[in-house]
Amino acid sequence: MRRRRAMVVFVAAWRSRALVVSSVQQRIPQMSVRRYGSAAASAALSVRDSATGKEVEMKKRPLRWYACGPTVYDAAHLGHARTYVMLDMLRRVATAYGHEIEYAMGVTDVDDKIISRARELDVEPLELARVEEVKFFEDMGRLGCARPSRVLRVSEHVEDVIDYVRDIEAQGLAYQASGSVWFDVGKLGDLYGTFAEGRGTSAAAAGVGGKGKKDARDFALWKGSKVGEPSWESPWGPGRPGWHIECSAMTRAAFGDKLDLHAGGVDLAFPHHENEVAQWRGARPEPSRSGTWCSCWVHTGHLHIEGRKMSKSLKNFITVRELLASGCEPDDFRIFCALHGYRSTVSYGPEKLVEAKRVRADLEASLRAARDVLVRGEGRKRFGDREEALRAATTATRADVRAALLDDLDTPKAIALVTKLATRARQYALEGDVVEEPLEEAISCVATTLGTLGLADTIKVVATKNDAAAGFAKSSSDAAAAAAAALGALVDFRTGVRNAALKKKASPDDLRLEKEILRLCDAVRDGDTLKALGYAILDKPDGSAQLLAEVAAVAAEPSPREPNKAAAAAAADRFAAVKHVPPDELFKVAAEFEGKFSAFDEAGVPTHDGAGSELSKSMRKKLRKRLEAHSRKWQPLNDETTTTTTTTTTV
């Protein structure tokens, strides 16, 4: 009867777990990402100018930044996404370090591709453009990209386009042919060629243009209307804007005659951006044509798939929606982008996302480990050598991250730096006997950097005093302690009921009751509720249980009455993959340890992690046990192999 009463109480407690979880979620404070302090904000961002190859230091005033946006006729693919994710990171970094930015993005909603696609779908071109524009910003938002300060649509700036063409015409650099208005490139002479591709165009091309053009390099400023296409009235008759004039007119309408930053994919450098510069020169009186319109050009590299640029025209693209529907987390894609310099050409493949996922998992594990220690509030206060070393590492990392991000957005270096610090903080937390303050500072540095790069989901696993907190900290109130106490009470109750069920049974009814209680206990341990809070329960062979931060997948230790068959099978599979690897080479060549360690002792046991930090004594002890277990299994197999080989040779 006593056991049945315990069963009823346990079931009632488990069914009311939602109340406990709700209380815990309310009481564990959440991480907020701070802006950098005045000392950090005094540093200026430097960006490499694609036109000159030189780094340009951004002025500490509101930056006028224009980005070429999408031509909205179909879904955004990963090539687009990489460009806008990297520009979003650049924008976030600039803002975090004290720059004010007016960020405008142009949207091409009048274009040949839109007209062609609209005909296929039997819809109006502008109707199609509006639908695809909404989808584009939804996709970028799901990838964590902040919306531009203003969105500039071509269809809403036609009058500005007409005014710009008139200015070019007034300077004698425009002419009419075949019903359209063309820019006369030849009249710019050596001033045409801001980018390498433009400088490489041959003057011999002059005179060989089609459609009545004077020069093959000449491009349309205003296109004469065709049946079934959108058109607007103009001094040259009905028509619509040419491609290159759109951005020139919209930037002038938004920012006037000068820009600080102009951004887009590297494939836009020529001819699009080259011709934008030509139009700016062509609209000015001759004495001032050689000036500078834009202080700095930012171009992101290509994203390749199967050796070719990802492109709609090549039909080798993966859309953002397809990627996210496949289960890829937005932060995984952002980390994939951040692991490569924004100007580099990157080959996309599933293995690259696996690498990014591993980096994020390692970062989250470190944040969880620190959170668990800090929320419990069990640390001492006296600093020792370990604390001084962690604080020094944090100070150095903060400075190095700042230098990396402000130096042309070196995200690969920044990610490497915070990953190394996060690993060091996790080792410190797991060794126990911690001082809270240096651990808070280290994790705050990690979380602030990740937040600056827009990795919002990754830093959700940590807790802070409040949304305005400068760093990661235990709440000054009793909320965190109450939350931990609530979880601890649940674990203690579960342990008591579980141990009662494991005692000797007197009847078949007792056995059935035991089975049901153990099933419910396992449901508490293995369910999603604790995982969602970042915790795990570890059942020990002596009948006790421990509440841990879910640093890694925590498997219950099998008791004598509960053999862990799954763990045994996993161990067998793990050995099968390395059964031919000598013990002293295990941690150096086995795939599961690739990149995790950088130094080893004489026996082959790792002494330093992949980032060069010394491993703790407890970690080295665990690795030594793993090596000994591998050696025990490897030696008989090796002896058998040697015997077989010798026998075969003798025969």
Side-chain angles (χ1 to χ4, degrees):
M1 178 63 69
R2 187 177 302 165
R3 291 195 186 102
R4 293 185 184 278
R5 188 177 299 114
M7 174 67 178
V8 170
V9 173
F10 176 75
V11 171
W14 175 239
R15 286 175 177 171
S16 65
R17 67 193 184 282
L19 297 175
V20 176
V21 171
S22 175
S23 174
V24 169
Q25 288 175 326
Q26 291 173 10
R27 292 173 179 173
I28 294 182
Q30 297 300 306
M31 168 67 77
S32 64
V33 178
R34 68 170 183 237
R35 289 177 63 93
Y36 293 96
S38 57
S42 64
L45 173 68
S46 292
V47 182
R48 182 180 180 273
D49 179 18
S50 297
T52 64
K54 299 177 181 178
E55 288 206 6
V56 177
E57 184 176 300
M58 298 294 104
K59 303 299 182 183
K60 285 290 183 172
R61 55 174 169 73
L63 296 177
R64 298 158 296 187
W65 182 351
Y66 176 80
C68 288
T71 299
V72 282
Y73 70 98
D74 206 346
H77 60 62
L78 301 191
H80 301 133
R82 187 205 173 198
T83 288
Y84 297 114
V85 164
M86 294 310 298
L87 295 182
D88 180 72
M89 288 186 182
L90 182 61
R91 180 186 179 192
R92 288 173 181 273
V93 166
T95 302
Y97 286 101
H99 290 278
E100 293 183 31
I101 298 173
E102 180 72 12
Y103 181 61
M105 181 180 290
V107 173
T108 298
D109 59 353
V110 180
D111 184 80
D112 292 340
K113 294 177 180 177
I114 299 174
I115 294 169
S116 176
R117 181 66 171 157
R119 284 173 179 163
E120 293 175 10
L121 300 175
D122 194 23
V123 296
E124 290 297 319
L126 286 178
E127 180 183 347
L128 171 64
R130 291 294 171 270
V131 171
E132 294 300 337
E133 179 189 326
V134 170
K135 290 181 179 179
F136 170 80
F137 284 113
E138 285 178 351
D139 289 349
M140 295 306 108
R142 293 176 70 187
L143 292 177
C145 296
R147 193 172 175 87
S149 309
R150 59 174 83 181
V151 176
L152 310 174
R153 300 187 183 106
V154 175
S155 63
E156 297 172 353
H157 288 81
V158 174
E159 288 300 321
D160 297 311
V161 170
I162 292 172
D163 289 343
Y164 212 122
V165 176
R166 277 176 168 165
D167 290 345
I168 295 172
E169 189 177 48
Q171 297 301 323
L173 274 80
Y175 63 93
Q176 296 186 55
S178 303
S180 298
V181 181
W182 304 85
F183 187 91
D184 195 342
V185 172
K187 287 189 176 181
L188 276 183
D190 293 339
L191 290 178
Y192 187 81
T194 298
F195 298 95
E197 296 88 341
R199 291 190 289 273
T201 54
S202 172
V208 298
K211 300 182 180 179
K213 295 195 297 182
K214 297 178 181 179
D215 189 312
R217 299 170 296 174
D218 293 352
F219 53 90
L221 297 170
W222 185 262
K223 294 184 176 183
S225 67
K226 296 179 182 178
V227 177
E229 293 185 357
S231 67
W232 288 261
E233 290 298 326
S234 79
W236 315 281
R240 56 187 173 89
W243 176 30
H244 310 301
I245 195 68
E246 299 169 353
C247 293
S248 295
M250 291 191 295
T251 56
R252 191 168 75 169
F255 298 120
D257 208 34
K258 295 285 185 179
L259 278 179
D260 295 303
L261 281 167
H262 195 317
V266 68
D267 52 330
L268 296 180
F270 186 85
H272 185 51
H273 291 164
E274 183 69 60
N275 291 341
E276 283 189 65
V277 176
Q279 290 165 161
W280 179 82
R281 298 190 191 283
R284 302 171 67 80
E286 189 168 358
S288 60
R289 285 179 189 166
S290 60
T292 300
W293 170 43
C294 179
S295 301
C296 185
W297 293 84
V298 178
H299 290 126
T300 59
H302 287 309
L303 186 67
H304 282 189
I305 184 169
E306 296 178 350
R308 298 193 299 174
K309 184 188 81 168
M310 189 176 291
S311 166
K312 289 179 180 177
S313 61
L314 295 175
K315 301 187 184 301
N316 65 340
F317 61 90
I318 300 170
T319 69
V320 172
R321 299 193 174 202
E322 288 171 342
L323 177 75
L324 298 180
S326 72
C328 176
E329 295 293 333
D331 274 13
D332 291 340
F333 184 76
R334 288 185 75 94
I335 290 175
F336 158 71
C337 293
L339 289 174
H340 304 87
Y342 75 88
R343 290 185 282 106
S344 62
T345 296
V346 179
S347 294
Y348 171 82
E351 70 282 355
K352 296 294 181 69
L353 286 180
V354 170
E355 178 188 8
K357 190 181 292 289
R358 179 187 60 77
V359 171
R360 184 167 70 93
D362 287 347
L363 290 167
E364 286 186 347
S366 297
L367 295 173
R368 284 196 180 104
R371 178 194 63 185
D372 185 51
V373 170
L374 294 172
V375 169
R376 286 201 304 267
E378 298 171 356
R380 57 187 169 83
K381 294 300 178 185
R382 183 178 178 83
F383 273 45
D385 291 343
R386 293 168 59 236
E387 289 71 37
E388 295 293 354
L390 181 58
R391 173 165 280 180
T394 300
T395 301
T397 299
R398 186 180 294 113
D400 291 344
V401 165
R402 177 181 62 193
L405 293 178
L406 292 179
D407 183 12
D408 198 28
L409 192 67
D410 191 348
T411 53
K413 185 174 182 179
I415 291 290
L417 287 166
V418 294
T419 300
K420 181 177 179 179
L421 179 62
T423 300
R424 185 164 192 162
R426 175 170 55 178
Q427 290 174 347
Y428 175 82
L430 295 180
E431 286 171 358
D433 193 25
V434 306
V435 176
E436 295 174 8
E437 287 80 5
L439 183 58
E440 288 178 11
E441 291 173 7
I443 295 304
S444 174
C445 176
V446 173
T448 301
T449 302
L450 299 179
T452 299
L453 296 178
L455 299 171
D457 289 340
T458 302
I459 61 176
K460 281 181 180 178
V461 300
V462 294
T464 53
K465 287 181 180 178
N466 51 59
D467 289 340
F472 177 94
K474 172 174 65 90
S475 173
S476 57
S477 69
D478 293 333
L487 286 175
L490 175 63
V491 173
D492 291 344
F493 178 73
R494 174 186 174 277
T495 301
V497 173
R498 182 172 178 272
N499 288 336
L502 288 171
K503 290 181 179 179
K504 265 190 174 181
K505 306 300 177 293
S507 69
D509 285 343
D510 287 339
L511 291 173
R512 283 192 290 272
L513 181 61
E514 172 201 2
K515 184 176 180 180
E516 178 62 12
I517 290 177
L518 292 177
R519 184 188 68 77
L520 290 169
C521 287
D522 289 346
V524 175
R525 183 192 66 209
D526 302 331
D528 294 334
T529 304
L530 290 177
K531 290 180 182 177
L533 295 171
Y535 286 92
I537 295 176
L538 179 66
D539 288 326
K540 298 186 175 182
D542 63 2
S544 64
Q546 186 178 359
L547 182 67
L548 299 173
E550 194 181 19
V551 175
V554 180
E557 295 182 14
S559 71
R561 301 186 57 131
E562 299 175 289
N564 195 334
K565 296 179 181 179
D573 290 342
R574 190 168 58 209
F575 177 70
V578 294
K579 63 182 180 180
H580 297 302
V581 177
D584 60 348
E585 296 291 325
L586 176 65
F587 296 109
K588 301 176 184 178
V589 302
E592 65 177 295
F593 301 115
E594 183 179 356
K596 292 187 177 180
F597 308 112
S598 59
F600 311 84
D601 63 16
E602 294 178 356
V605 177
T607 58
H608 293 72
D609 65 19
S613 298
E614 187 174 1
L615 298 177
S616 65
K617 291 181 179 179
S618 59
M619 178 61 71
R620 292 176 67 178
K621 184 177 180 181
K622 291 179 182 178
L623 294 172
R624 188 174 293 107
K625 287 183 177 180
R626 171 70 189 276
L627 185 65
E628 290 169 353
H630 175 76
S631 183
R632 286 193 298 271
K633 294 179 180 180
W634 177 86
Q635 193 63 49
L637 178 64
N638 185 64
D639 292 343
E640 179 182 341
T641 303
T642 303
T643 302
T644 303
T645 303
T646 304
T647 304
T648 303
T649 304
T650 303
V651 172

